[in-house]
């Protein structure tokens, strides 16, 4: 029997300058049906005790054992190969546990939309979804809805994971999520085109990227490809833009929006300069439509062979080298370029698996979550989907390194990625991020200057958090 969410869930974008509230359905999908499926399935129960005993005796005489099946629903992402890999892992679990049925539910690609769906489900205290794929920035905001995995065996395995990822997922001593895969923004570049236009390596600074992208774009268009662009990235008004913009700002010496000690620092000259730089790309080396791009829109243009550079997450490596990819074998990755600070910056991303406190079967759900995040399953996701493991030992695994060679040289990028200010602004991070990415998007679309937009963002963040204004 399918769950009420059998169809993929999709949600409209958040309204501009609207603070998300768990109780506010505006900007989310239509109200979800939350009827709970029966947690146990099987052959049915006879109401008559005698008939039941006769049936049970018959089964025993036939040498059969009737297994009651527990259904566990996992809400998972579908970016790149995520959904296929999760469903394959679910099949492996079910093969070893014939008394469990796992249903994998597709959720929206954009993280803000996914969070809106989750909040509706949690507010209804619905038992229909047992395991949630959760962004690294959400533990503080969602902790009250999640069980403590330390009570379900996680303490025996957390030492295998990056300590920082484990600490990120702990709230008041409770482990509300087991790390599943980590992420950091990286630069993809076309090796064949760099060679064609006389470049001996990827850009080291944003200024170099701008010049190289323009040169290659002009050359490819002159050669007959009018759809070619220099640089694609995530410019839509959503959490992905917070990541991209944080990288521009931090690499330029503009801070981290809100400092770790709780000072709102985003309104500063270095941050303004960084956002102005990005705005200059729109319509020049980046398509005007980049202001509506998420990860997949950027990847699709890149993978079709219509871009020289792309900012994205590690998942795009495996799909970019798929047999049907126009650029298979023609690209590599590098750290993101540096700004005035003299160093690049990669936004820390990643996902964990949390178990709903409203699940009818938390023990089984926790076992499923720990299985999906196990070394064996993380290795599969790394080899087949180029998803960066949170299991430290896998970065020395030869099969992993053969499948994804850049994991070895990008290890330091992963462990030194810059975090978004989700901890210091919890439980209001979603509103803080929305204030920031809305301001940046206004600059990218030309409706506001960078100076005015970041001043407005700083004031909005102060109203949300009550923190002090200052400089990085």
């Amino acid at each position: 029997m399918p769950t009420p969410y059998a169809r993929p869930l999709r949600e409209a974008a958040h309204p501009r300058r609207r603070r998300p509230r768990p109780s506010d359905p505006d900007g989310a999908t239509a109200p979800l049906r939350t009827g709970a499926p029966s947690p146990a399935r099987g052959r049915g129960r006879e109401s008559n005790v005698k008939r039941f005993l006769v049936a049970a005796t018959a089964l025993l005489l036939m040498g059969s054992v009737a297994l009651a099946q527990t259904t566990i629903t996992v809400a998972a992402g579908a970016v790149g190969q995520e959904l296929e890999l999760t469903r394959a892992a679910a099949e492996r679990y079910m093969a070893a546990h014939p008394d469990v049925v796992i249903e994998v539910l597709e959720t929206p690609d954009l993280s803000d939309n996914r969070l809106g769906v989750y909040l509706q489900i949690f507010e209804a205290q619905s038992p229909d979804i047992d395991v949630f794929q959760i962004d690294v920035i959400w533990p503080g905001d969602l902790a009250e809805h999640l069980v403590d995995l330390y009570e379900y065996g996680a303490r025996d395995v957390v030492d295998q994971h990056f300590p920082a990822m484990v600490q990120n997922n702990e709230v008041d001593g409770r482990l509300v999520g087991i790390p599943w895969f980590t992420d950091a923004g990286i630069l993809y570049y076309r090796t064949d085109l760099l060679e064609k236009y006389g470049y001996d390596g990827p850009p080291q600074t944003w200024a170099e990227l701008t010049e190289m992208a323009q040169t290659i774009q002009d050359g490819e268009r002159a050669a007959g490809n009018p759809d070619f662009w220099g640089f694609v990235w995530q410019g839509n008004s959503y959490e992905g833009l917070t990541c991209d913009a944080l990288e521009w700002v931090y690499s330029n010496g503009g801070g981290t929006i809100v400092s770790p000690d709780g000072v709102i620092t985003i309104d500063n000259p270095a941050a303004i300069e960084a956002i102005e730089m990005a705005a200059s790309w729109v319509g020049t080396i980046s398509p005007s439509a980049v202001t509506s791009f998420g990860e997949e829109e950027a990847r699709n243009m890149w993978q079709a062979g219509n871009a020289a550079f792309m900012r994205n997450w590690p998942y795009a490596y495996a799909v970019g080298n798929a047999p049907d990819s126009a650029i298979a074998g023609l690209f590599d990755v590098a750290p993101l370029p540096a700004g005035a600070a003299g160093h690049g910056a990669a936004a820390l991303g990643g996902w964990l698996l949390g178990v709903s406190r409203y699940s009818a079967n938390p023990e089984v759900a926790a076992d499923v979550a720990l299985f999906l995040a196990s070394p064996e399953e993380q290795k599969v996701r790394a080899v087949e989907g180029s998803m960066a493991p949170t299991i430290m030992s896998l970065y020395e695994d030869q099969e992993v390194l053969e499948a994804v060679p850049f994991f070895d040289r990008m290890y330091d990028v992963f462990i030194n990625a810059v975090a978004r200010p989700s901890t210091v602004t919890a439980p209001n991070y979603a509103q803080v991020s929305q204030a920031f990415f809305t301001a940046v998007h206004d600059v990218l679309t030309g409706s506001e200057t960078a100076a005015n937009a970041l001043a407005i963002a700083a004031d909005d963040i102060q109203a949300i958090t009550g923190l002090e204004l200052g400089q990085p």
Side-chain angles (χ1 to χ4, degrees):
M1 177 179 179
T3 70
Y5 308 114
R7 294 182 179 179
L9 299 177
R10 295 294 180 205
E11 183 184 25
H14 284 294
R16 294 164 67 82
R17 296 193 180 281
R18 181 79 179 269
R19 299 181 194 168
R21 299 188 301 271
S23 60
D24 184 357
D26 188 52
T29 56
L32 302 176
R33 292 173 289 167
T34 55
S38 172
R41 298 175 184 170
R43 301 176 181 271
R45 296 181 179 178
E46 299 290 344
S47 59
N48 183 286
V49 174
K50 182 177 180 180
R51 289 176 60 193
F52 173 79
L53 291 174
V54 171
T57 302
L59 285 173
L60 290 172
L61 290 173
M62 292 169 60
S64 300
V65 177
L67 294 175
Q69 289 188 310
T70 299
T71 297
I72 298 298
T73 300
V74 178
V79 175
Q81 301 179 77
E82 277 189 294
L83 194 65
E84 294 84 353
L85 291 171
T86 304
R87 285 176 172 161
E91 291 292 337
R92 289 189 285 273
Y93 184 92
M94 289 188 289
H97 302 82
D99 55 334
V100 177
V101 173
I102 300 177
E103 296 179 354
V104 179
L105 171 71
E106 180 182 352
T107 59
D109 288 345
L110 298 188
S111 57
D112 305 75
N113 296 350
R114 192 180 303 183
L115 178 60
V117 172
Y118 286 5
L119 290 174
Q120 290 185 65
I121 294 167
F122 285 138
E123 185 179 352
Q125 299 188 6
S126 170
D128 291 348
I129 298 179
D130 304 277
V131 180
F132 289 81
Q133 180 177 335
I134 293 172
D135 198 319
V136 293
I137 57 176
W138 298 341
D141 291 352
L142 300 182
E144 64 180 297
H145 303 292
L146 303 170
V147 305
D148 179 6
L149 291 175
Y150 282 142
E151 297 180 359
Y152 296 91
R155 200 175 296 278
D156 296 333
V157 299
V158 290
D159 287 348
Q160 301 172 342
H161 298 263
F162 287 124
M165 289 290 290
V166 175
Q167 292 167 11
N168 179 82
N169 302 347
E170 289 180 329
V171 178
D172 297 327
R174 300 171 59 247
L175 186 71
V176 299
I178 189 73
W180 199 12
F181 60 97
T182 189
D183 261 336
I186 53 179
L187 181 70
Y188 288 77
Y189 65 96
R190 287 281 298 275
T191 52
D192 59 327
L193 295 181
L194 263 62
E195 181 180 358
K196 177 180 178 179
Y197 291 92
Y199 298 110
D200 58 6
Q204 300 300 303
T205 67
W206 290 114
E208 288 181 7
L209 181 144
T210 302
E211 184 275 325
M212 292 169 68
Q214 188 70 64
T215 297
I216 297 172
Q217 176 180 299
D218 292 345
E220 290 302 290
R221 289 187 178 184
N225 185 356
D227 299 323
F228 193 91
W229 291 93
F231 183 36
V232 291
W233 36 280
Q234 295 74 52
N236 202 349
S237 187
Y238 79 115
E239 185 65 30
L241 180 54
T242 291
C243 294
D244 285 38
L246 175 60
E247 292 163 349
W248 308 330
V249 169
Y250 188 75
S251 69
N252 208 49
T256 56
I257 308 170
V258 180
S259 68
D261 57 352
V263 177
I264 301 165
T265 62
I266 190 55
D267 185 12
N268 69 80
I272 292 169
E273 182 181 59
I275 303 304
E276 288 176 340
M277 170 193 69
S280 74
W281 298 333
V282 180
T284 56
I285 62 170
S286 302
S288 297
V290 77
T291 57
S292 65
F293 279 16
E295 284 82 359
E296 286 293 81
E297 289 82 8
R299 182 183 68 82
N300 288 338
M301 182 171 283
W302 156 263
Q303 196 165 316
N306 288 327
F309 299 100
M310 175 181 69
R311 183 272 179 208
N312 216 317
W313 307 101
Y315 85 93
Y317 187 88
V319 286
N321 275 316
D324 60 348
S325 170
I327 58 169
L330 300 176
F331 70 91
D332 204 347
V333 300
L336 289 164
H343 58 73
L348 175 64
W351 295 84
L352 51 136
L353 293 168
V355 173
S356 171
R357 60 175 292 218
Y358 313 114
S359 169
N361 300 284
E363 289 188 10
V364 179
D367 192 62
V368 169
L370 295 178
F371 171 84
L372 293 176
S374 66
E376 295 77 14
E377 290 302 315
Q378 287 204 23
K379 180 175 179 177
V380 172
R381 293 176 74 85
V383 171
E384 298 184 11
S386 64
M387 295 179 185
T390 64
I391 303 290
M392 293 179 286
S393 62
L394 290 178
Y395 288 87
E396 299 176 352
D397 187 289
Q398 288 306 305
E399 290 181 89
V400 171
L401 296 178
E402 287 175 11
V404 195
F406 75 85
F407 275 177
D408 184 30
R409 51 194 165 89
M410 298 291 284
Y411 180 81
D412 287 342
V413 173
F414 293 139
I415 63 173
N416 293 309
V418 59
R420 287 162 279 175
S422 57
T423 301
V424 71
T425 63
N428 301 306
Y429 173 74
Q431 298 176 59
V432 168
S433 181
Q434 186 178 24
F436 177 60
F437 68 64
T438 298
V440 175
H441 195 259
D442 284 345
V443 181
L444 299 178
T445 56
S447 62
E448 189 62 88
T449 66
N452 287 342
L454 294 188
I456 292 170
D459 289 342
D460 287 348
I461 293 171
Q462 185 175 46
I464 293 165
T465 64
L467 299 174
E468 294 299 317
L469 300 174
Q471 294 294 303

